Amino acid sequence: MPEGNTVRVSLRDVAAHAGVSVKTVSNVVNDYQHVTPAMRARVQRSIDALGYRPNLAARHLRKGRTGIIALALPELGNPYFAELAAAVIDSAAAHDYTVLLDHTGGRREQELLVCRGFRARVIDGLILSPIELEAEDLGDRAENVPLVLLGEREYDLPYDHIAIDNVAAARAAVRHLIGLGRREVAFIGARRGRSEPAQLRVRGWREELTAAGLPSDAGLVAATDGWGHADGEAAMIRLLDSGRRPDAVFAYNDPMAIGAMRALHARGVRVPEDIAVAGFDDVVEGRFAAVSLTSVSPDKEAIGRLAVESVLARLGGRTPAPRRVRAGHRLAERESTLGRVGAFGAPGRDT
Amino acid sequence: MPEGNTVRVSLRDVAAHAGVSVKTVSNVVNDYQHVTPAMRARVQRSIDALGYRPNLAARHLRKGRTGIIALALPELGNPYFAELAAAVIDSAAAHDYTVLLDHTGGRREQELLVCRGFRARVIDGLILSPIELEAEDLGDRAENVPLVLLGEREYDLPYDHIAIDNVAAARAAVRHLIGLGRREVAFIGARRGRSEPAQLRVRGWREELTAAGLPSDAGLVAATDGWGHADGEAAMIRLLDSGRRPDAVFAYNDPMAIGAMRALHARGVRVPEDIAVAGFDDVVEGRFAAVSLTSVSPDKEAIGRLAVESVLARLGGRTPAPRRVRAGHRLAERESTLGRVGAFGAPGRDT
DNA sequence: ATGAAAGCGCTAACAC
DNA sequence: GTGTTAGCGCTTTCAT
């Protein structure tokens, strides 16, 4: 027995009140075409009078859809994901869809749970940004709710995947650094351990350096366990203490770049005069750092929109061929590489 | 083995497969007490064999519960709300609840829609952090899903409200500033326009200054339109150009404080030597600013937990008396007021 | 154009 | 302990 709160008004009640059949009321509620205006008005009056609200659960049970898609992100605390979530939510809302948010903490176990459909049948589709998940984890997925992948990891699997061109983006950032005359460009945020989520960005970094005839040896790579501010700070300190003297640093993401800048600031190393710093994700925080941060700027709005569209395109049993979609990106050049240009604020206003 | 790609297994199918009644299967699925272990095992085997997943829509239709609560936040881009969302999600998960996330953009219209149950969402409860909403908007709420309010605004309405003691917290921050010898403490982030969400923090700021016999006149208050980095930056610039020379600034939130610090940095004003800065919310970003930010640190985990508990306590028609719950807070003192203390990193490690 | 009736998959009386 | 059965509120043939 549903513990009745307030007045529970059903279609049946409205029908009785209006003196028509349930079907007619349903027709009105669903904006069915062939209803006489008079009838429509009459039913509408009863609806208003009784304060009728359709019961979504019943509708879902009947139609087999819930109007909800899940978005599973590694970490909401990282502003990139928060901003991405906002984009997905807005995009979904535009399609009358609602977003259910999960965060996996980037833990494989949690990611597995999510993509194995522990949400059972509450959701019509799933957008997942995996960190630790391996291809084989996704291979035996028995679920039938459409899955769309986000993020840097690439899997050779029949799922839609939305991402920017990470290699090209990383190369652009490093090229910018080289163009500024830097010759020792370190990378912060490679991965320790078996899997390597930063793979593509490391590759882009290395390719560009190699193409320019510059070093990209292991001594220039600072591996980390996580991807937060503290990890970037610690990695930068290690780099400084290693004896190596890079004149530029490219970080896996903005929080790490900002952590690195804090370490540099504390050590009295000037940014960008002594060491230029570039990040990845273009989060708001970077734009307002004391020295604003140069960063690869993915088109988050596009990523969110494409992800939602991809999921919705697979609803109702439709199964378009899996596709890899490239969202756009650009390089937001700011003080951490350019130095303070012109009047105050100019570089900070960039985006 | 699930047959075909459309896995559509119902209780009935499992019952047939196991040679028992649906009730028995239902009992197993719901962990009903009185089932013989042998029977349980047998049913479980069929469940696994068929890959049965309960249909939530049907369960909801029957029970009147969905296992989903909605969380409506003004802005996911503000890390405070992102961190809060994470706390709510985790807390809900601990109760086997799932969180559906909305963001209102702090727009009154959107907030209204949400709390009026727009799109008649499939939710058991709603946690809302309003910015613009007025008491009268909430007064005529016809919805019967439990509503819990979060945040600084206080309404004289019969809803649970979870917040820290904003006045006390603001006073503590200002007291800290005064204790450091500051005599002209400005406030950044008061509101332009009719409603004043920052009210309590402004009040705390004023009370503490008044108690200390220090000025809190209008010239020390910088109003803003929004609550982002850029607003704080602009407000700080206006303050500097006003002729007034505060030796400390208390900002409505951390993003504004950080924006203000950027402005100060750009103008060559030293923090904290010339002007000390304190913020509110203790977001990660502040801990890793070049000059780490002193900030009021609300117990986000507690807020999230209390909010979820409050909502769940009102489920199933239970209507405990509305209550105002105070979550804890403390002042995280860092370099933006203390200066660089001792060895590198010490103050940044604080939280 | 409108009505009657059959379920969607599940839970909870109530029987045995 | 386990089975039978009646709906939860809605959409949807199929008549009319």
Side-chain angles (χ1 to χ4, degrees), chain A residues 183-201:
Chain A
R183 288 297 171 262
E184 288 257 311
V185 183
F187 185 96
I188 286 186
R191 175 53 174 277
R192 290 185 173 123
R194 52 165 184 35
S195 77
E196 171 54 295
Q199 195 179 27
L200 299 178
R201 297 181 193 176

Side-chain angles (χ1 to χ4, degrees), chain A:
Chain A
M1 197 73 246
E3 301 91 325
N5 291 359
T6 354
V7 245
R8 288 246 180 217
V9 187
S10 79
L11 266 194
R12 209 222 225 34
D13 301 322
V14 179
H17 185 270
V20 298
S21 84
V22 179
K23 171 68 164 99
T24 304
V25 181
S26 174
N27 283 342
V28 171
V29 172
N30 293 290
D31 263 327
Y32 183 63
Q33 306 289 12
H34 311 286
V35 189
T36 54
M39 179 57 86
R40 184 179 296 279
R42 177 164 142 209
V43 171
Q44 189 58 54
R45 246 190 319 273
S46 294
I47 289 178
D48 296 340
L50 297 179
Y52 168 76
R53 307 292 291 282
N55 178 322
L56 280 244
R59 181 177 288 174
H60 293 156
L61 174 56
R62 186 60 232 216
K63 308 231 292 193
R65 297 230 196 134
T66 61
I68 299 178
I69 55 182
L71 173 64
L73 262 19
E75 193 48 76
L76 228 35
N78 180 330
Y80 171 71
F81 290 115
E83 290 170 24
L84 182 59
V88 169
I89 290 173
D90 289 344
S91 211
H95 292 275
D96 278 326
Y97 259 79
T98 303
V99 174
L100 199 152
L101 201 59
D102 266 314
H103 69 161
T104 62
R107 295 182 302 271
R108 178 160 179 238
E109 198 177 339
Q110 193 62 26
E111 293 178 343
L112 259 172
L113 272 177
V114 167
C115 85
R116 291 248 168 97
F118 83 116
R119 236 24 131 183
R121 303 194 188 170
V122 224
I123 58 171
D124 291 346
L126 170 62
I127 300 172
L128 168 67
S129 181
I131 296 279
E132 295 287 351
L133 219 56
E134 300 300 329
E136 57 266 32
D137 295 332
L138 253 36
D140 62 347
R141 180 180 139 90
E143 271 309 299
N144 58 353
V145 330
L147 168 65
V148 169
L149 264 16
L150 250 43
E152 201 200 357
R153 304 269 325 243
E154 300 210 326
Y155 303 91
D156 191 23
L157 289 170
Y159 297 110
D160 282 358
H161 185 261
I162 322 279
I164 66 167
D165 186 335
N166 275 278
V167 176
R171 292 193 65 153
V174 174
R175 193 177 317 126
H176 169 67
L177 260 8
I178 295 173
L180 260 17
R182 309 293 166 152
R183 288 297 171 262
E184 288 257 311
V185 183
F187 185 96
I188 286 186
R191 175 53 174 277
R192 290 185 173 123
R194 52 165 184 35
S195 77
E196 171 54 295
Q199 195 179 27
L200 299 178
R201 297 181 193 176
V202 173
R203 187 193 304 167
W205 165 80
R206 177 163 289 129
E207 283 181 8
E208 193 65 29
L209 288 175
T210 304
L214 296 173
S216 64
D217 56 287
L220 282 171
V221 177
T224 56
D225 293 318
W227 292 275
H229 294 81
D231 301 294
E233 184 183 42
M236 189 72 242
I237 291 172
R238 265 185 285 118
L239 220 39
L240 290 176
D241 290 343
S242 73
R244 199 71 175 249
R245 256 302 168 151
D247 51 14
V249 169
F250 178 42
Y252 174 71
N253 66 17
D254 280 0
M256 299 190 80
I258 289 165
M261 287 205 294
R262 178 164 164 83
L264 292 171
H265 181 81
R267 289 287 181 97
V269 179
R270 293 166 307 161
V271 175
E273 293 81 353
D274 303 322
I275 298 188
V277 178
F280 209 109
D281 286 348
D282 189 24
V283 304
V284 177
E285 178 179 355
R287 302 212 273 282
F288 286 90
V291 175
S292 63
L293 180 65
T294 290
S295 185
V296 171
S297 182
D299 188 345
K300 297 169 195 114
E301 187 279 330
I303 295 174
R305 184 169 38 75
L306 290 165
V308 170
E309 285 168 359
S310 283
V311 167
L312 297 187
R314 298 182 168 279
L315 254 42
R318 282 171 294 166
T319 54
R323 48 187 203 143
R324 273 158 179 53
V325 186
R326 290 255 177 270
H329 70 267
R330 54 181 203 82
L331 185 67
E333 305 175 1
R334 304 211 179 86
E335 298 165 357
S336 69
T337 55
L338 300 178
R340 192 166 292 274
V341 213
F344 160 69
R349 280 301 133 14
D350 163 332
T351 295

